[in-house]
Amino acid sequence: MPEANYHTQHSPFGAFASFTIGLVDSPGGFGQSLRGPARQNIYIGFRGHAQRTWQLLPFLTPPKSQEGAFTGDTTVVQPPRGFDALRPSDYTRTLGLASDTWRADEGRFGFSLLTPFDRVPDPARMPKAAARFHLAPVVTGWIEYDNRQGKEPVELMFGVGNGEDTLRPLTDTSDKLMGFAGGTAFGYATKPARGVTMRQGFDILDPKFRDYRGLLVIAGETALVFTVPAGARKRFPLALGFYAAGPITTGIDSVYAYTRVFKNLEDVLVHGLQEHARYGKVAAQRDRELARSRLDDDQKFLLAQSAHSYFGSTQLMWSNGRPLWMVNEGEYRMINTFDLTVDHVFFELVWQPWAVRDTLDLFVRRYSYRDQHGLSFTHDMGVNSFFTPPGRSSYECDGLEGCFSHMTMEQLLNWILTAVTYAEHTGDRAWLRANQKTLLACADSLHRRDDPDPKKRDGILKQDSNRVRGGAEITTYDSLDVSLGQARNNLYLAVKTLGAWVLLERAFATLKLAKAAADAHATADLLAQTLTTKFEADTGFFPAVFEKGNRSRILPAVEGFIYPLFLGYKDATDRNGRFAPLFKQLSQHIAQALQPGICLDATSGGWKMSSTSTNTWFSKIAIAQHVIRQLFPEAMTDAARQGDRVHADWQRTPGCGRDAMCDQIRSDSGIACGSRYYPRGVSAWLWLNE
Amino acid sequence: MPEANYHTQHSPFGAFASFTIGLVDSPGGFGQSLRGPARQNIYIGFRGHAQRTWQLLPFLTPPKSQEGAFTGDTTVVQPPRGFDALRPSDYTRTLGLASDTWRADEGRFGFSLLTPFDRVPDPARMPKAAARFHLAPVVTGWIEYDNRQGKEPVELMFGVGNGEDTLRPLTDTSDKLMGFAGGTAFGYATKPARGVTMRQGFDILDPKFRDYRGLLVIAGETALVFTVPAGARKRFPLALGFYAAGPITTGIDSVYAYTRVFKNLEDVLVHGLQEHARYGKVAAQRDRELARSRLDDDQKFLLAQSAHSYFGSTQLMWSNGRPLWMVNEGEYRMINTFDLTVDHVFFELVWQPWAVRDTLDLFVRRYSYRDQHGLSFTHDMGVNSFFTPPGRSSYECDGLEGCFSHMTMEQLLNWILTAVTYAEHTGDRAWLRANQKTLLACADSLHRRDDPDPKKRDGILKQDSNRVRGGAEITTYDSLDVSLGQARNNLYLAVKTLGAWVLLERAFATLKLAKAAADAHATADLLAQTLTTKFEADTGFFPAVFEKGNRSRILPAVEGFIYPLFLGYKDATDRNGRFAPLFKQLSQHIAQALQPGICLDATSGGWKMSSTSTNTWFSKIAIAQHVIRQLFPEAMTDAARQGDRVHADWQRTPGCGRDAMCDQIRSDSGIACGSRYYPRGVSAWLWLNE
């Protein structure tokens, strides 16, 4: 296993904020609404009896001292001196589902950051106390040293250097806090206690200038220093908070939901310290749940890292008297990209099902549209805190055949699949009934995108929206080659369409719409039958696109089965059931695809979405793995099983790890080529259902 | 004259915000509360009949296209192509007092930014309409082309590329605006009109992807494109706005004053365009005032550049129901540094005298303290939007003898001089009376800092505050050598003390405090007499410090006379009056100092504050020049007169110009060594009194 060397986002729920650290010899720290890690120096370490110099985790780059700007002496270059930047071999790092812990000095030194996520009740009906607990824009943590065998006191440090932007001492605004803040926006604190001191200076390890209280507030580097007496073991609590007041979004005006229950940053930090133990229990519970699962260590790491990045992209706002849920698309910061919503559903239904419902409602209310074939939905709701006008995404452009084209078919399927998955999983019949007309319109739209003439329909979507204006529709796999990029006559979309009809049949049955249910049933059968005719008897594969002699081989051929599988629809997932002939062909397709050089990368052994593209996406691999392990276990050869290790190594080395969880990865090198700092890896939550 | 190559800040009044451009081949743009220029690409130019490619002013660096991050294709590197970055020889630039104008293409193309500053009434009593006019966080401008001789239409462009942070189209939130905004924080706009279009894309000159309205809102580069038909001359208005909602400062809580009269950024921009003509008139009036002055071109440039940077550091807040005036100290962002307040007074008394009064009041109310000798004031009120606790500055540290030590004597003098200058210049007797006790306490404190024992007093301050805790007090010239750095027995401070007693005498007379006035008069005479004994008959110089055989020669020997000179106190500035012997010696001192190798730099010819330091400060040079030209004209040799050209060249070339107006400069190289992006150059406003 390569040396662990990766950033992890430590993020409150819904604050679109992260405290990012972990990449070796790299800064990180507090980032609000960023598309990648911040660039603050982080000082975490100890100075003990055995070591006379500070031993610091390697989360800083020597800052250029600002001292020279004041003194006019440009010869002063003063990085912090007198410390050892610990090497990865000097410490251990353990990433849990809701924690990230470093230990050094034979385990005596410890530092941990917690992401105590929990089931969040509907914020529209959340009492204030619950809202303060669940929505606090705070990350907790601790720093400790076991000095029971020591003969001299040991010092611990937790600090942040914000370079050119100075921090302020929190003691000025709260007598319950020791720590520092960046304006009104972020800060870190511990409880005032004996043995805790504050420092601020140009050189935090050896401050040259001290004011009446020992600080120099014009300097950019700050720290808390904790003393652990000889013979004692002490753990000090930490709270890391964010606060963004006032209007944040445009197009739809909104403020952070937490601003309704927290007055300011100090309120957040005091709360974080007061509830420190309770948050710790929640995080420990999450950690235990993952630790006790049947996943192997690589899978556990992937899921833990994914969950961390997911929360970094979440944003819960308040708009017009009600909650407004947003997930930002990692480095792209597109708002509620539907391609992500549909993949997050398996995670969000566990932790905040109302978020799925609210997002679906907003898609209907504002981000739906009608083209010549009927209803569909936009790719996203905007970008970078800007909500695009009704019926328009930030992404979709005209006259294109590749990236940035429209995704009308894809998003129609996404609404159906997300909606029925939500309603059936939660049993929210009232919502399903309220959306009956939309579901019927979706079914009608699906039919017409097959063919406006009912007699010509075979179940496969092949009618581009007139929104493309001379171009062609694409799928979510926009950056792969044509094997997955083109929507029309696309294998991946066809099987996804099958999933949609299966779910529509159930939804219509639930709604007692017998005729519509029968139609959905018949269409699913027709589509399954059509699909079997696309199978290449000579090769034993399905082509990725049923056009122009395409011979790419793709794993998302089975992605559409995740929905009936997740909902436990036996009839649609029974290999000997109604889709038996199709299953037989897919089994052969997948078994042949999961071979080195086809959909296992010949160099790395990692899973590839397509045989003809080296651009592969972790979140989609995770879904494919789950479907294949559950429905096509015969394809899980040793080589295929090795994938988890490969995928984990990609994420825990800098090729991906410099941007925390990454999704688009070169399958040969393991280096991210897009979708960095990305939330979608939580599709791996499906693995816990195995 | 070297090629003009410098940044200029274009800043609204009191918004602590700048649109900075001008440095060749460098980005700039919108910066909120920054310590230096922003890093946005600015697209300004034209594409005419003669030129088939865009001709752009050189205010951009090729941005790395974000396209590859979406497409996964890392081979795409797409700077804007197909344009010529104009060279300085291709255009003219004219900096006025309130305008900055570029012309190219034989004068047919024009672009201008205006800083329409005006006399601002007291915001505490300002009606809403006046507040909207004076406090609007907006900069106006225009772009034009004279196509009257043309046979084909010409296109003009004004645009901003914000790199990783996308902008949003303003047409979504206002039907009165065309343009783009960065969230809720800044934006630029023109009025919707025929021939104006909006663009947004990865490559703004050749956008590859266009949505239903021709934009790509996930891309970072934006522009307005204006078409000027053949045969026409057209000028299009521009408004560049800022908006920062909610709590901004800590220690003292406050919001921007303009948020009381402007709802949001759109409100600001619409207002800027509606009042465009009126703002244009104000700017033109300012320009005329400077143009018609008797200053030479170098002096005019220095004053214009200074005024631009001054406004970039101004910040008018609202706190506890009243205005809160802040000037930030350039790159250091210390709040209301008293060393600057005392030098800004000559400018601020013209444009916003209430700002001087309010700052003095806040010094008394919160930033005064008493040490063993009595009353004094802090060096500043905080840093980076953080107000330090009462009686404490952000700068002053303990146990030091150089930079970052206390300035108790200096700040005591600064309060006296600023207070009396304000009260006498404005005639605000009520304020003077309200501060009678403070003035008396200041006089008492001055005496005690001379010597606690009245019998031992000679007028010179020599008692360090016990706040230095083992260190020594310094002066504002903290980064120079001991010649100016040490406060005790310091020539500069002694003459400044003389100025303080002269002003106190007047103030006490005004207040009908005859005894105090007589004491001030006597003390001034005593001090003047003492000073004459410090003159070195052998060299014809004063030593800079009356200790340890110091033989540095300094120009600020006469700085203290600026206050009686400014207030028109003939008796104190009459060379044959009460201080005649001192004047005679100072005349010799200055005449000898203003020689190459002494206080004229041997290499550059620029003025040096001290013969023994190459660190020289423009704002202080400006004061010294004024005092010397007015009181010691015999010292103004040709070599001394050349200084203006040297100082102007420093600022209009990148050594200083990369950070707009700079104050601390190496006198040999002309390169800034501190105090960049600095407001204090407006001390040159004094020149207009000559």
Side-chain angles (χ1 to χ4, degrees), chain A residues 367-422:
Chain A
Y367 292 102
S368 59
Y369 62 87
R370 287 183 175 273
D371 64 8
Q372 82 273 34
H373 301 303
L375 184 66
S376 190
F377 303 86
T378 59
H379 167 270
D380 60 75
M381 300 184 180
V383 62
N384 201 12
S385 298
F386 155 56
F387 280 92
T388 38
R392 295 294 175 176
S393 72
S394 69
Y395 175 97
E396 289 157 299
C397 290
D398 298 351
L400 301 173
E401 304 203 334
C403 259
F404 311 119
S405 186
H406 291 268
M407 299 191 191
T408 308
M409 301 176 203
E410 176 91 74
Q411 307 313 339
L412 174 61
L413 293 169
N414 283 344
W415 197 88
I416 297 166
L417 292 163
T418 308
V420 181
T421 299
Y422 163 76

Coordinates of all heavy atoms in Angstrom, one line a residue, chain A residues 367-422:
Chain A
Y367 N -37.3 24.1 -12.3 CA -36.3 23.6 -13.3 C -36.8 22.5 -14.2 O -36.1 21.6 -14.6 CB -35.0 23.3 -12.6 CG -34.3 24.5 -12.1 CD1 -34.4 24.9 -10.7 CD2 -33.7 25.4 -12.9 CE1 -33.9 26.1 -10.3 CE2 -33.1 26.6 -12.5 CZ -33.2 26.9 -11.2 OH -32.7 28.1 -10.8
S368 N -38.1 22.6 -14.5 CA -38.7 21.7 -15.5 C -39.0 22.6 -16.7 O -39.1 23.8 -16.6 CB -40.0 21.1 -15.0 OG -40.9 22.1 -14.6
Y369 N -39.2 21.9 -17.8 CA -39.5 22.6 -19.1 C -40.2 21.6 -20.0 O -40.2 20.4 -19.8 CB -38.3 23.3 -19.7 CG -37.3 22.3 -20.2 CD1 -37.3 21.7 -21.4 CD2 -36.2 22.0 -19.3 CE1 -36.3 20.8 -21.8 CE2 -35.2 21.1 -19.7 CZ -35.3 20.5 -21.0 OH -34.3 19.6 -21.4
R370 N -40.8 22.1 -21.0 CA -41.4 21.3 -22.1 C -40.8 21.6 -23.4 O -40.7 22.8 -23.8 CB -42.9 21.6 -22.1 CG -43.7 21.0 -20.9 CD -45.2 21.2 -21.0 NE -45.8 20.5 -19.8 CZ -46.1 19.1 -19.9 NH1 -45.9 18.4 -21.0 NH2 -46.6 18.6 -18.8
D371 N -40.3 20.6 -24.1 CA -39.9 20.8 -25.5 C -41.0 20.1 -26.4 O -42.1 19.9 -25.9 CB -38.5 20.2 -25.7 CG -38.4 18.7 -25.5 OD1 -39.5 18.1 -25.3 OD2 -37.3 18.2 -25.5
Q372 N -40.6 19.8 -27.6 CA -41.6 19.3 -28.6 C -42.1 18.0 -28.1 O -43.2 17.5 -28.6 CB -41.0 19.3 -30.0 CG -40.1 18.1 -30.3 CD -38.7 18.2 -29.9 OE1 -38.4 18.9 -28.9 NE2 -37.8 17.6 -30.7
H373 N -41.4 17.3 -27.3 CA -41.9 15.9 -26.9 C -42.6 15.9 -25.5 O -43.1 14.9 -25.1 CB -40.7 15.0 -26.8 CG -40.0 14.8 -28.1 ND1 -40.6 14.5 -29.3 CD2 -38.7 15.1 -28.5 CE1 -39.7 14.4 -30.3 NE2 -38.6 14.8 -29.8
G374 N -42.5 17.0 -24.8 CA -43.1 17.1 -23.5 C -42.2 17.5 -22.4 O -41.2 18.2 -22.6
L375 N -42.5 16.9 -21.2 CA -41.8 17.4 -20.0 C -40.3 16.9 -19.9 O -40.1 15.7 -20.2 CB -42.6 16.9 -18.8 CG -42.1 17.3 -17.4 CD1 -42.3 18.8 -17.2 CD2 -42.9 16.5 -16.3
S376 N -39.5 17.7 -19.4 CA -38.2 17.2 -18.9 C -37.6 18.3 -17.9 O -38.4 19.2 -17.5 CB -37.1 16.9 -19.9 OG -36.0 16.2 -19.3
F377 N -36.4 18.1 -17.5 CA -35.8 18.8 -16.4 C -34.4 19.3 -16.8 O -33.8 18.7 -17.7 CB -35.7 18.0 -15.1 CG -37.1 17.5 -14.7 CD1 -37.6 16.3 -15.3 CD2 -37.9 18.2 -13.9 CE1 -38.9 15.9 -14.9 CE2 -39.2 17.8 -13.5 CZ -39.7 16.6 -14.1
T378 N -33.9 20.3 -16.1 CA -32.6 20.9 -16.5 C -31.5 20.0 -15.8 O -31.7 19.3 -14.9 CB -32.5 22.3 -16.0 OG1 -32.6 22.3 -14.6 CG2 -33.5 23.2 -16.6
H379 N -30.3 20.2 -16.4 CA -29.2 19.5 -15.9 C -28.8 19.9 -14.4 O -28.3 19.1 -13.6 CB -28.0 19.7 -16.8 CG -26.6 19.3 -16.3 ND1 -25.8 20.2 -15.5 CD2 -26.0 18.2 -16.3 CE1 -24.7 19.6 -15.2 NE2 -24.8 18.3 -15.7
D380 N -29.0 21.2 -14.1 CA -28.7 21.7 -12.8 C -29.5 22.9 -12.6 O -30.4 23.3 -13.4 CB -27.2 22.1 -12.8 CG -26.8 23.1 -13.9 OD1 -27.2 24.3 -13.7 OD2 -26.2 22.8 -14.9
M381 N -29.3 23.6 -11.4 CA -30.1 24.8 -11.1 C -29.3 26.0 -11.0 O -29.7 27.1 -10.6 CB -30.7 24.5 -9.7 CG -31.6 23.3 -9.6 SD -32.4 23.2 -8.0 CE -33.4 21.7 -8.1
G382 N -28.0 26.0 -11.5 CA -27.2 27.2 -11.5 C -25.8 26.8 -11.1 O -25.4 25.6 -11.1
V383 N -25.0 27.8 -10.8 CA -23.6 27.6 -10.5 C -23.1 28.7 -9.5 O -23.5 29.9 -9.6 CB -22.8 27.6 -11.8 CG1 -22.9 29.0 -12.5 CG2 -21.3 27.3 -11.6
N384 N -22.3 28.3 -8.6 CA -21.5 29.3 -7.8 C -22.5 30.3 -7.1 O -22.3 31.5 -7.2 CB -20.5 30.0 -8.7 CG -19.4 30.7 -8.0 OD1 -19.2 30.4 -6.8 ND2 -18.7 31.5 -8.6
S385 N -23.5 29.7 -6.5 CA -24.5 30.5 -5.7 C -25.4 31.3 -6.6 O -26.2 32.1 -6.0 CB -23.8 31.5 -4.7 OG -23.1 30.7 -3.7
F386 N -25.4 31.1 -7.8 CA -26.3 31.8 -8.8 C -27.3 30.8 -9.3 O -26.9 29.9 -10.0 CB -25.4 32.5 -9.9 CG -26.1 32.7 -11.2 CD1 -27.3 33.5 -11.2 CD2 -25.6 32.2 -12.4 CE1 -27.9 33.7 -12.5 CE2 -26.3 32.4 -13.6 CZ -27.4 33.1 -13.6
F387 N -28.6 31.0 -9.0 CA -29.6 30.2 -9.5 C -30.0 30.7 -10.9 O -30.4 31.9 -11.0 CB -30.9 30.2 -8.6 CG -30.7 29.3 -7.4 CD1 -30.2 29.7 -6.2 CD2 -31.1 27.9 -7.5 CE1 -30.1 28.9 -5.1 CE2 -31.0 27.1 -6.4 CZ -30.4 27.6 -5.2
T388 N -29.9 29.8 -11.9 CA -30.3 30.2 -13.3 C -31.8 30.4 -13.4 O -32.5 30.0 -12.5 CB -29.8 29.1 -14.2 OG1 -30.0 27.9 -13.6 CG2 -28.3 29.3 -14.6
P389 N -32.2 31.1 -14.4 CA -33.6 31.4 -14.6 C -34.4 30.1 -14.7 O -33.9 29.0 -15.0 CB -33.7 32.2 -15.9 CG -32.3 32.8 -16.1 CD -31.4 31.8 -15.5
P390 N -35.7 30.2 -14.4 CA -36.6 29.0 -14.5 C -36.4 28.2 -15.8 O -36.3 28.9 -16.9 CB -38.0 29.5 -14.4 CG -37.8 30.8 -13.6 CD -36.5 31.3 -14.0
G391 N -36.3 26.9 -15.8 CA -36.3 26.1 -17.0 C -34.9 26.1 -17.7 O -34.8 25.6 -18.8
R392 N -33.9 26.7 -17.0 CA -32.6 26.8 -17.6 C -31.5 26.3 -16.7 O -31.5 26.7 -15.5 CB -32.3 28.2 -18.1 CG -33.3 28.7 -19.2 CD -33.0 27.9 -20.5 NE -34.0 28.3 -21.5 CZ -34.0 27.8 -22.7 NH1 -33.0 26.9 -23.1 NH2 -34.9 28.2 -23.6
S393 N -30.6 25.6 -17.2 CA -29.4 25.2 -16.4 C -28.2 26.1 -16.6 O -28.3 26.9 -17.5 CB -29.0 23.7 -16.7 OG -28.4 23.7 -18.0
S394 N -27.2 25.9 -15.9 CA -26.0 26.7 -16.1 C -25.1 26.0 -17.2 O -24.2 26.6 -17.7 CB -25.2 26.8 -14.8 OG -24.6 25.6 -14.4
Y395 N -25.4 24.7 -17.4 CA -24.4 23.9 -18.2 C -24.8 23.8 -19.6 O -23.9 23.8 -20.5 CB -24.4 22.5 -17.5 CG -23.6 21.5 -18.3 CD1 -22.3 21.2 -17.9 CD2 -24.2 20.7 -19.3 CE1 -21.6 20.2 -18.5 CE2 -23.4 19.7 -20.0 CZ -22.1 19.5 -19.6 OH -21.4 18.5 -20.2
E396 N -26.1 23.6 -19.9 CA -26.5 23.2 -21.3 C -26.5 24.3 -22.3 O -27.1 25.3 -22.2 CB -27.9 22.6 -21.2 CG -27.9 21.2 -20.4 CD -29.2 20.8 -19.8 OE1 -29.7 21.6 -19.0 OE2 -29.7 19.8 -20.2
C397 N -25.7 24.0 -23.4 CA -25.5 24.9 -24.5 C -26.1 24.3 -25.8 O -26.4 23.2 -25.8 CB -24.1 25.3 -24.7 SG -23.4 26.3 -23.4
D398 N -26.2 25.2 -26.8 CA -26.9 24.8 -28.0 C -25.9 24.4 -29.1 O -24.8 24.9 -29.1 CB -27.8 26.0 -28.5 CG -28.9 26.4 -27.5 OD1 -29.0 25.6 -26.5 OD2 -29.5 27.4 -27.7
G399 N -26.4 23.6 -30.0 CA -25.7 23.3 -31.3 C -24.4 22.4 -31.0 O -23.5 22.5 -31.8
L400 N -24.4 21.7 -30.0 CA -23.3 20.9 -29.6 C -23.6 19.4 -29.7 O -24.7 19.0 -29.6 CB -22.8 21.2 -28.2 CG -22.4 22.6 -27.9 CD1 -22.1 22.8 -26.5 CD2 -21.1 23.0 -28.8
E401 N -22.5 18.6 -29.9 CA -22.7 17.1 -29.9 C -21.9 16.5 -28.8 O -21.9 15.2 -28.6 CB -22.3 16.5 -31.2 CG -23.1 17.1 -32.4 CD -23.1 16.3 -33.6 OE1 -22.2 15.5 -33.8 OE2 -24.1 16.4 -34.4
G402 N -21.2 17.3 -28.0 CA -20.4 16.7 -26.9 C -20.7 17.4 -25.6 O -21.8 17.9 -25.4
C403 N -19.6 17.6 -24.8 CA -19.7 18.3 -23.6 C -20.5 19.6 -23.7 O -20.4 20.3 -24.7 CB -18.3 18.7 -23.1 SG -17.7 17.6 -21.8
F404 N -21.3 19.9 -22.7 CA -22.1 21.2 -22.6 C -23.3 21.1 -23.5 O -24.0 22.2 -23.6 CB -21.2 22.4 -23.0 CG -19.9 22.5 -22.2 CD1 -18.7 22.5 -22.9 CD2 -19.9 22.5 -20.8 CE1 -17.5 22.5 -22.2 CE2 -18.7 22.5 -20.2 CZ -17.5 22.5 -20.9
S405 N -23.6 20.0 -24.1 CA -24.9 19.9 -24.8 C -26.0 19.6 -23.8 O -25.8 19.5 -22.6 CB -24.9 18.8 -25.9 OG -26.1 18.9 -26.7
H406 N -27.3 19.5 -24.3 CA -28.4 19.3 -23.5 C -28.5 17.8 -23.0 O -28.0 16.9 -23.7 CB -29.7 19.7 -24.2 CG -29.8 21.2 -24.4 ND1 -30.4 22.0 -23.5 CD2 -29.3 22.0 -25.3 CE1 -30.3 23.3 -23.9 NE2 -29.6 23.3 -25.0
M407 N -29.2 17.6 -21.9 CA -29.3 16.2 -21.4 C -30.8 15.9 -21.1 O -31.2 15.5 -20.0 CB -28.5 16.0 -20.1 CG -27.0 16.2 -20.3 SD -26.2 15.7 -18.8 CE -24.5 16.3 -19.1
T408 N -31.6 16.2 -22.0 CA -33.1 16.2 -21.8 C -33.6 14.8 -21.4 O -34.3 14.6 -20.5 CB -33.8 16.7 -23.1 OG1 -33.3 18.0 -23.4 CG2 -35.3 16.8 -22.8
M409 N -33.1 13.8 -22.2 CA -33.5 12.4 -21.9 C -33.0 12.0 -20.5 O -33.8 11.4 -19.7 CB -33.0 11.4 -22.9 CG -33.4 11.7 -24.3 SD -32.6 10.5 -25.5 CE -32.6 11.4 -27.0
E410 N -31.8 12.2 -20.3 CA -31.1 11.8 -19.0 C -31.8 12.4 -17.8 O -32.1 11.7 -16.9 CB -29.7 12.3 -19.1 CG -28.9 12.0 -17.8 CD -28.1 10.7 -17.8 OE1 -27.1 10.6 -18.5 OE2 -28.6 9.8 -17.1
Q411 N -32.2 13.7 -17.9 CA -32.8 14.3 -16.7 C -34.2 13.9 -16.5 O -34.7 13.9 -15.4 CB -32.6 15.9 -16.8 CG -31.2 16.4 -17.1 CD -30.1 15.7 -16.2 OE1 -30.4 15.2 -15.1 NE2 -28.9 15.7 -16.7
L412 N -34.9 13.6 -17.6 CA -36.3 13.1 -17.5 C -36.2 11.8 -16.7 O -37.0 11.5 -15.8 CB -36.9 12.9 -18.9 CG -38.2 12.2 -18.9 CD1 -39.3 13.0 -18.2 CD2 -38.6 11.9 -20.4
L413 N -35.3 10.9 -17.1 CA -35.1 9.6 -16.3 C -34.7 9.9 -14.9 O -35.2 9.2 -14.0 CB -34.0 8.8 -17.0 CG -34.4 8.3 -18.4 CD1 -33.2 7.7 -19.1 CD2 -35.5 7.2 -18.3
N414 N -33.8 10.9 -14.7 CA -33.4 11.2 -13.3 C -34.5 11.6 -12.4 O -34.6 11.2 -11.2 CB -32.3 12.2 -13.3 CG -30.9 11.7 -13.8 OD1 -30.8 10.4 -13.8 ND2 -30.0 12.5 -14.2
W415 N -35.4 12.4 -13.0 CA -36.5 12.8 -12.1 C -37.4 11.6 -11.7 O -37.7 11.4 -10.6 CB -37.4 13.9 -12.7 CG -38.2 14.6 -11.7 CD1 -37.9 15.6 -10.9 CD2 -39.6 14.2 -11.2 NE1 -38.9 15.9 -10.0 CE2 -39.9 15.1 -10.2 CE3 -40.4 13.2 -11.6 CZ2 -41.1 15.0 -9.5 CZ3 -41.7 13.1 -10.9 CH2 -42.0 14.0 -9.9
I416 N -37.8 10.8 -12.7 CA -38.6 9.6 -12.5 C -37.9 8.7 -11.4 O -38.5 8.3 -10.5 CB -38.8 8.8 -13.8 CG1 -39.6 9.7 -14.8 CG2 -39.5 7.5 -13.5 CD1 -39.6 9.1 -16.2
L417 N -36.7 8.4 -11.7 CA -36.0 7.4 -10.8 C -35.8 8.0 -9.4 O -36.0 7.2 -8.4 CB -34.6 7.1 -11.4 CG -34.7 6.3 -12.8 CD1 -33.4 6.3 -13.5 CD2 -35.2 4.8 -12.5
T418 N -35.4 9.2 -9.3 CA -35.2 9.8 -8.0 C -36.6 9.9 -7.2 O -36.7 9.6 -6.0 CB -34.6 11.2 -8.1 OG1 -33.4 11.1 -8.9 CG2 -34.2 11.7 -6.7
A419 N -37.6 10.3 -8.0 CA -38.9 10.5 -7.4 C -39.5 9.2 -6.8 O -39.9 9.1 -5.7 CB -39.9 11.2 -8.4
V420 N -39.5 8.2 -7.7 CA -40.1 7.0 -7.2 C -39.3 6.3 -6.2 O -39.8 5.7 -5.2 CB -40.4 6.0 -8.4 CG1 -41.0 4.7 -8.0 CG2 -41.3 6.7 -9.5
T421 N -37.9 6.4 -6.3 CA -37.1 5.8 -5.3 C -37.3 6.5 -3.9 O -37.5 5.8 -2.9 CB -35.6 6.0 -5.7 OG1 -35.4 5.3 -6.9 CG2 -34.7 5.5 -4.6
Y422 N -37.5 7.8 -4.0 CA -37.8 8.6 -2.7 C -39.2 8.1 -2.2 O -39.3 7.7 -1.0 CB -37.8 10.1 -3.0 CG -38.6 10.8 -1.9 CD1 -38.0 11.0 -0.6 CD2 -39.9 11.2 -2.0 CE1 -38.6 11.6 0.4 CE2 -40.6 11.8 -0.9 CZ -39.9 12.0 0.3 OH -40.6 12.6 1.3

